[in-house]
Amino acid sequence: MSAESNSTCPVCKTAEVVCGKWTLLLIRDLAEGNARFCELERSLEGISPRTLSLRLRALEEEGVVERHTYPEVPPRVEYALTAKGKALVPLVEDMRRYGMRWLLGDAADARQPAAV
Amino acid sequence: MSAESNSTCPVCKTAEVVCGKWTLLLIRDLAEGNARFCELERSLEGISPRTLSLRLRALEEEGVVERHTYPEVPPRVEYALTAKGKALVPLVEDMRRYGMRWLLGDAADARQPAAV
DNA sequence: CCCAAGGCTTCAGTAAGTGAAGCCATGGCG
DNA sequence: CGCCATGGCTTCACTTACTGAAGCCTTGGG
């Protein structure tokens, strides 16, 4: 990996941050109010706890999410988006719009026109 | 991978399409007018030809890019975004905006406030 | 005693991406 | 004629990301 393309390119910089398979889905879930590990695990059905843990840690490192521990029993941990993380929400909204069009078949005419 | 999360979720759908590490950078380059294999290879400095080839093929499968072959010598191949691909450009623009803010340090205060 | 809850970590295995090298065709140069 | 350059890949052996199942840790309650 060494130098992820050009580090002075803004698009590359963002790509580095959101590169993981689950990252943007995770941002979406945090934006929707899911805060706890097990909530995220359930919402992102299919993610392994290891991957979730690694992604959360990486995003925390990058200052995109914050981790709050509550010393209860059993211990509770909550994750939240920082300002830096909230700034990614428009991206998720664009993805939602795009996916919506895709699922509605609006963009499907770009495939084979399928014998109108 | 089997069932990429929930396939009826628009955000997941888009995530599936743009999941690869290089996909959005590739969309950006195609949007900027880079059309040929070697141009893309140069522009996405660091990508391996294998990955570029695989990504282009996958995106073609999905109807996001079109491939045009010109029977010259040496043979020329050009790639272009379809409507479905162009619809991803706003996403890239959001990434550019976000990355710009990041690089300018505007969002950096979300990290440790660093002893004001 | 022992189990449940919540938040992880460990392990062995699969998928995605890497870096270097090679392949194919052919027009042009010596 | 020999052979190199060009463009678009493919092959190989390898590292990194992610998976799925299992296990760990603490402590309050049955």
Side-chain angles (χ1 to χ4, degrees):
Chain A
M1 227 170 261
S2 52
E4 287 271 6
S5 300
N6 185 350
S7 265
T8 63
C9 158
V11 188
C12 300
K13 184 66 219 171
T14 307
E16 271 177 55
V17 177
V18 303
C19 64
K21 175 178 167 185
W22 295 98
T23 308
L24 285 161
L25 264 28
L26 186 47
I27 303 281
R28 175 205 56 180
D29 280 11
L30 288 169
E32 283 174 0
N34 292 313
R36 301 179 59 173
F37 194 91
C38 61
E39 286 176 334
L40 296 166
E41 208 174 356
R42 262 190 289 278
S43 175
L44 278 57
E45 43 175 328
I47 197 172
S48 69
R50 171 180 156 76
T51 303
L52 180 52
S53 179
L54 286 176
R55 285 283 107 220
L56 283 168
R57 236 171 264 295
L59 291 172
E60 200 191 345
E61 274 289 302
E62 285 164 327
V64 169
V65 314
E66 279 172 343
R67 199 183 120 108
H68 302 287
T69 314
Y70 300 90
E72 301 169 1
V73 162
R76 185 161 55 97
V77 178
E78 290 193 350
Y79 296 92
L81 295 177
T82 62
K84 225 166 171 174
K86 283 178 192 145
L88 282 170
V89 173
L91 227 136
V92 176
E93 288 315 310
D94 271 357
M95 289 176 69
R96 190 189 309 284
R97 264 190 291 282
Y98 184 78
M100 215 99 97
R101 286 217 283 157
W102 187 300
L103 292 173
L104 291 173
D106 182 31
D109 57 332
R111 267 181 206 263
Q112 300 312 328
V116 182
Chain B
M1 226 171 265
S2 54
E4 286 274 7
S5 302
N6 184 349
S7 265
T8 63
C9 158
V11 187
C12 300
K13 185 65 220 173
T14 306
E16 273 177 53
V17 177
V18 304
C19 63
K21 175 177 167 187
W22 295 98
T23 309
L24 285 162
L25 265 29
L26 185 47
I27 303 281
R28 175 204 58 182
D29 281 10
L30 288 169
E32 282 174 0
N34 291 314
R36 301 180 62 172
F37 195 91
C38 60
E39 285 176 335
L40 296 166
E41 208 174 357
R42 262 189 289 278
S43 176
L44 278 56
E45 44 176 327
I47 197 173
S48 68
R50 170 181 155 77
T51 303
L52 180 52
S53 179
L54 287 176
R55 288 280 106 223
L56 283 169
R57 236 172 264 297
L59 291 172
E60 198 189 349
E61 274 288 303
E62 286 165 325
V64 170
V65 315
E66 280 173 343
R67 200 182 120 107
H68 303 285
T69 315
Y70 300 89
E72 302 170 354
V73 162
R76 183 161 57 99
V77 178
E78 291 193 350
Y79 297 91
L81 294 177
T82 62
K84 226 165 170 174
K86 283 176 191 146
L88 283 169
V89 173
L91 230 136
V92 176
E93 287 315 309
D94 271 356
M95 290 177 67
R96 191 188 309 282
R97 262 190 293 281
Y98 184 79
M100 216 98 99
R101 287 218 282 155
W102 188 300
L103 293 173
L104 291 175
D106 182 31
D109 57 332
R111 267 183 207 261
Q112 301 310 327
V116 181

